[in-house]
Amino acid sequence: MTRHSMNHGYLSIVLHAHLPYVHHPEYEQFFEENWLFEAITECYLPLIAMLDRLQADAVDYRLTLSLSPTLLTMWRNPLLQSRYLQHLEKQLELAEKEVVRTRKQPDYLALAEMYRQLFHTALCTYRDHYQCDLVAAFVKHQQTGKLELITTAATHGFLPLLRVSEAAVRRQIKVGLETFSAITGLQASGFWLPECAYFPGLENVLQEFGVQYFFVDTHGIMDAGEFPEHAVYAPLDCGNGVAAFGRDPASSRQVWSAQEGYPGDADYREYYRDIGFDLDLEYVAPYILDGVTRINTGIKYHRVTGGEGPKALYQPETARMRVREHAEHFVSQRQAQIATLSAVMSTPPHIVAPYDAELFGHWWFEGPLWLEQVLRLCSQQPQGMRTLSCGDYLDLPLSRQVAQPAASSWGDQGYSSYWLNESNDWIYPLIHKAGAEFDKLVADLQGLSLSALQLRALNQAGRSLLLAQASDWPFILKSGTSVEYAKKRITDHLARFNYLHDAIRKNRINERYLSALEIMDDVFQDVDFRGG
Amino acid sequence: MCDNPHSVNCTRLRALLRSVPFHSLELTQPELLDISRWINREFAPRFNSPMVKHSQPLGLAAQELLSISSEISREYSPLSREAAANLVLLPIDKQHVYAYWRLHADKTGMQSTLKPAEDLTLRIFTPTAVPAAAVESTAPPLPDWYDFRIHAGKSCQAVALPEAAAFSSAVSAAIGVARSEQEFLPLLLSNQIDMPMSGSACATADPHIAALTAAMAQFISTGTPASSPAGNPLC
């Protein structure tokens, strides 16, 4: 082996942003829509603010961000935009109340003022600066060449479990890519496999739709058909030119691990203590569910603290110091890793560190600041480690080993067990059956001239099917939170599919009913499902 | 500056620019206002979505949507619909597969071959390329299939494969009746699935990791979290 002489390498940080499609115009307000609203305030806006600061300071960083089609669709949905503004205005109102309530408690007051400022800034950024268009905010940074936007499957379906129908897998990928293009105006060269779930042969479908690379978990590379000469520190060519990048376990552990991970530090903000649960019901009633059911409000005054005792008060300045320490630690660890690896590798080592975007800011309040520090520190290394997007990496004149990755996912036990177990196995016969019926319907209609109404019904049936296939529903059924909602979503979407399927087969399409379904499941509007 | 040569404002502006030296332009207040409005209109930053209104008009009232949704959910429930006869195999992890099936007695006559209270057999086929290390060992040859007894009334089952089947990269299944060691009457055949080659990432005993240089192995073999909090943390 020719050793790579220069002591340098690359770091690709990849964030995957996804939420299931939750949109309920049939209700005045709907609790699960808060998933999106919380994430906008706590994660997406802070990430945009981070990118804006990096740009303002001319920091030479590279970052890859996967935006799921359902998330992009929700960001663009006028009703959800409007409801988010209402949500944010309520948060700001509560923070104002908190400033008054805590006026004689200086430590709490400082935190209440921090939240008031945070919500006010979020409102100004979202409503005034970006005119409620988060897509435009991220696309702006893609156009600088420093942020690479990629996407994932249409509704984040767990592809190995949909593979009973090859058409179902193709549809998830095709609709995902088409929706991303329609909304962002970009072509995604990279593809985030939902839950990093890969099966051999998937690369052929990805290639068909112009995808150049995807990600797998560590064992997807380590157990590849051919022994991976560089482990996960160089991508594999799957044999058709599509590259598979493997997750670096060391980088993951430092962020994800419950024991060693940075987010669990005692000085960071505690997620599970929220005034929605801590204060008098009467006081928080206007800001919780139906005035009676306690929920998170986003105002949290405590830090992780550690141990069994009471939680101590959050101290932002101490947390910021810890952020700097953790960023320096992360960067120094990666530099040491690259120094070690480059001594034995024939190409510059490439570390791929993928994370769920919603970790940053939502679960880990200080996460966006940490990420910003990491990117700033990396940009200050004239030699040694550089951040790079995976698309940029593939442009480097480096040869790649040809091997097919192994079936794998980043879930528990390495594959499907979290999405297929006694809590959620009942869904698969149902979604497979609907998938087969849809495939047959599309085939039967092939070559026939459809009326506008029939085409609308067919496309809506395709949307219903895709929405039922989301990996989020079996995940929620297993995790045990919001179980009834997940059950209802699956059965509702399949019922809507059944209704539309029958209506098309019998040529009895009720336009009023069809319109109602189009309004409620307002996704993938530009996709023509006639091709399957 | 202006793509539309027929625009009145545009023509006027061009005429103005042509007719006088730039430094001596004198514009009236209405002209300034006119130009300002035109530039605002034509060159305002473009956002891809319309400005948000607080109340979005819907084609149907919320109550109507809810009523239609409830009716469809009630009348077209997927749980009450018949499925075709089939056997589907799904991968769980290296050692486990999941099978579900549906047999139709009347339409296909398949179940008529069953004797009363006779159990079914789920046969998992494991054609495999056995690694060299296993071939060279003195162990007896691996069987091509494994049988699992299942009760006739069941319609799904998670199956733990024997350790010997761990080398199988792809498996398939049949469901049927095994009346003797040699006699297996298949009723349904399944799809073929790819199996993960390792159930837990980065186990230190992994021979692949052992083959890496020590420099690489130290970053791999220390293990990753069993999983990321896969799925969405908000849910």
Side-chain angles (χ1 to χ4, degrees), chain A residues 18-19 25-27 35 39 76 78 81-82 86 130-133 163-164 195 200 218-219 222-223 227 229-230 232-233 247 249 253 256 337 340-341 344-345 356 358 362-363 407 410-417 419-420 425 428-430 432-433 475-476 481 491-492 494-496 498-499 502 512-513 516, chain B residues 47-56 58-60 62 64-66 68-69 71-73 76-79 81-83 88 90-93 98 100 156 191 193-202 206 208-209 211-213 215-216 218-220 222-235:
Chain A
H18 164 67
L19 286 177
E26 69 274 31
Y27 292 95
W35 295 345
R76 276 286 167 79
Q81 289 174 337
S82 148
Q86 291 168 12
Y130 285 111
Q131 298 189 32
C132 308
D133 192 349
R163 196 192 173 189
V164 173
E195 321 299 358
T218 313
H219 56 296
M222 297 310 299
D223 296 325
F227 178 71
E229 186 187 340
H230 298 305
V232 293
Y233 302 111
R247 178 164 76 143
R253 193 171 53 251
W256 281 125
Q337 202 174 348
T340 306
L341 292 167
V344 297
M345 286 179 63
D356 272 337
E358 290 78 15
H362 179 71
W363 287 111
W410 75 353
D412 190 30
Q413 301 303 312
Y415 209 31
S416 311
S417 61
W419 296 271
L420 175 59
D425 58 355
Y428 292 100
L430 305 180
H432 292 159
K433 174 177 172 289
F475 179 87
I476 294 172
T481 57
T491 52
D492 278 359
L494 290 174
R496 290 170 190 184
N498 290 337
Y499 165 74
D502 283 11
R512 186 165 157 267
Y513 277 42
Chain B
F47 290 89
N48 291 325
S49 66
M51 283 293 289
V52 174
K53 298 181 184 69
H54 260 67
S55 60
Q56 285 292 319
L58 294 175
L60 293 161
E64 287 177 282
L65 294 175
L66 189 56
I68 290 170
S69 172
E71 182 189 331
I72 290 175
S73 295
Y76 293 87
S77 167
L79 302 169
R81 290 166 81 92
E82 279 289 296
V88 171
L90 298 170
I92 298 178
D93 57 36
Y98 179 89
Y100 73 81
C156 63
N191 54 316
I193 57 171
D194 289 297
M195 294 293 285
M197 293 301 289
S198 173
S200 172
C202 313
D206 190 323
H208 283 168
I209 293 169
L212 286 175
T213 64
M216 286 186 207
Q218 67 174 299
F219 300 116
I220 303 289
T222 47
T224 188
S227 67
S228 72
N232 206 293
L234 287 169
C235 302

Side-chain angles (χ1 to χ4, degrees), chain A residues 427-458:
Chain A
I427 73 175
Y428 292 100
L430 305 180
I431 59 175
H432 292 159
K433 174 177 172 289
E437 286 177 348
F438 188 68
D439 293 347
K440 181 152 190 339
L441 181 63
V442 168
D444 290 348
L445 296 176
Q446 203 72 255
L448 299 182
S449 176
L450 299 183
S451 69
L453 194 64
Q454 287 169 324
L455 183 57
R456 277 173 59 193
L458 179 70

Side-chain angles (χ1 to χ4, degrees), chain A residues 60-72:
Chain A
D60 188 22
Y61 73 92
R62 296 291 184 280
L63 181 68
T64 303
L65 175 63
S66 159
L67 299 175
S68 78
T70 49
L71 184 62
L72 287 165

Side-chain angles (χ1 to χ4, degrees), chain A residues 259-277:
Chain A
Q259 289 77 38
E260 305 166 56
Y262 303 131
D265 188 278
D267 287 323
Y268 287 148
R269 195 189 72 168
E270 169 62 61
Y271 175 80
Y272 291 101
R273 283 290 300 274
D274 187 290
I275 65 167
F277 293 89

Side-chain angles (χ1 to χ4, degrees), chain A residues 285-325:
Chain A
Y287 310 99
I288 60 176
L289 190 58
D290 301 327
V292 288
T293 307
R294 290 181 179 276
I295 57 171
N296 285 329
T297 64
I299 298 181
K300 303 164 199 285
Y301 289 136
H302 298 89
R303 59 190 175 92
V304 173
T305 311
E308 299 295 317
K311 298 285 181 190
L313 211 59
Y314 181 60
Q315 296 177 312
E317 194 48 49
T318 312
R320 275 194 286 275
M321 282 169 48
R322 198 67 67 229
V323 162
R324 284 191 288 275
E325 287 171 19

